[in-house]
């Protein structure tokens, strides 16, 4: 935890931050808080996430413990918001990185499909030529 080891090297503190972000529900909570652009009631998070209140509470606790979100009580309503606006930047950079990676992978996949198609076409042409060279014996055998 970031606040538990203030003398820890920065890379260890960063690793703990990424551990706090290492769950899809927590990432989604942060995305919702970015869109909310201010305090967001727990009820709004619950309806957007469609998970049990106890599970949401556990995830919010992890994010609070790592100082990623802050909470405030207004009457009976508990609200949450990003602890720092740069959390939104962190999510945007992660999204950009992933879009770039997926785009590159999509390009690689398209090239692989083209190569496989070309190889399959060449194999079919080669098989047809072999069949023709043998007088079409493979076709005659199948017809008998």
């Amino acid at each position: 935890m970031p606040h538990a080891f203030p003398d820890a090297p920065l890379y260890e503190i960063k690793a703990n931050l990424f551990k706090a972000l290492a769950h899809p529900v927590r990432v989604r909570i942060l995305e919702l808080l970015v869109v909310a652009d201010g305090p967001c009631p727990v009820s709004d998070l619950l309806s957007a996430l469609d998970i049990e209140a106890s599970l949401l509470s556990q995830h919010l606790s992890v994010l609070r413990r790592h100082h990623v979100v802050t909470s405030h009580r207004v009457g009976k309503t508990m609200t949450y918001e990003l602890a720092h606006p740069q959390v939104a930047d962190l999510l945007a950079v992660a999204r950009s990185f992933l879009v770039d990676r997926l785009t590159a992978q999509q390009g690689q996949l398209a090239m692989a499909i083209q190569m496989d198609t070309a190889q399959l076409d060449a194999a079919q042409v080669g098989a047809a030529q072999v069949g023709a060279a043998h007088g079409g014996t493979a076709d005659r055998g199948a017809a008998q």
Side-chain angles (χ1 to χ4, degrees):
M1 290 176 218
H3 62 283
F5 304 105
D7 294 335
L10 186 57
Y11 61 86
E12 286 183 20
I13 296 169
K14 285 181 190 177
N16 283 321
L17 169 64
F18 286 113
K19 286 178 189 176
L21 302 178
H23 194 284
V25 171
R26 292 194 287 268
V27 171
R28 186 65 185 131
I29 289 169
L30 295 175
E31 290 174 341
L32 292 168
L33 294 176
V34 167
V35 172
D37 197 28
C40 182
V42 170
S43 58
D44 289 0
L45 295 172
L46 271 173
S47 64
L49 294 168
D50 194 33
I51 62 174
E52 295 293 322
S54 60
L55 187 56
L56 176 59
S57 178
Q58 291 172 11
H59 286 298
L60 288 169
S61 176
V62 170
L63 293 171
R64 261 193 335 266
R65 191 169 51 247
H66 286 84
H67 306 287
V68 179
V69 300
T70 58
S71 61
H72 307 285
R73 184 174 295 280
V74 178
K76 292 184 178 182
T77 304
M78 184 65 92
T79 62
Y80 286 84
E81 62 185 318
L82 299 177
H84 196 285
Q86 286 182 330
V87 172
D89 297 339
L90 179 63
L91 293 173
V93 168
R95 179 182 174 85
S96 176
F97 170 77
L98 292 172
V99 167
D100 288 350
R101 286 299 317 136
L102 291 172
T103 301
Q105 288 174 347
Q106 187 177 24
Q108 292 168 347
L109 178 61
M111 285 179 20
I113 290 170
Q114 286 176 341
M115 288 173 51
D116 285 348
T117 302
Q119 289 174 350
L120 181 59
D121 290 345
Q124 289 173 342
V125 167
Q129 290 172 346
V130 168
H134 292 328
T137 54
D139 290 338
R140 278 187 277 161
Q144 292 174 356

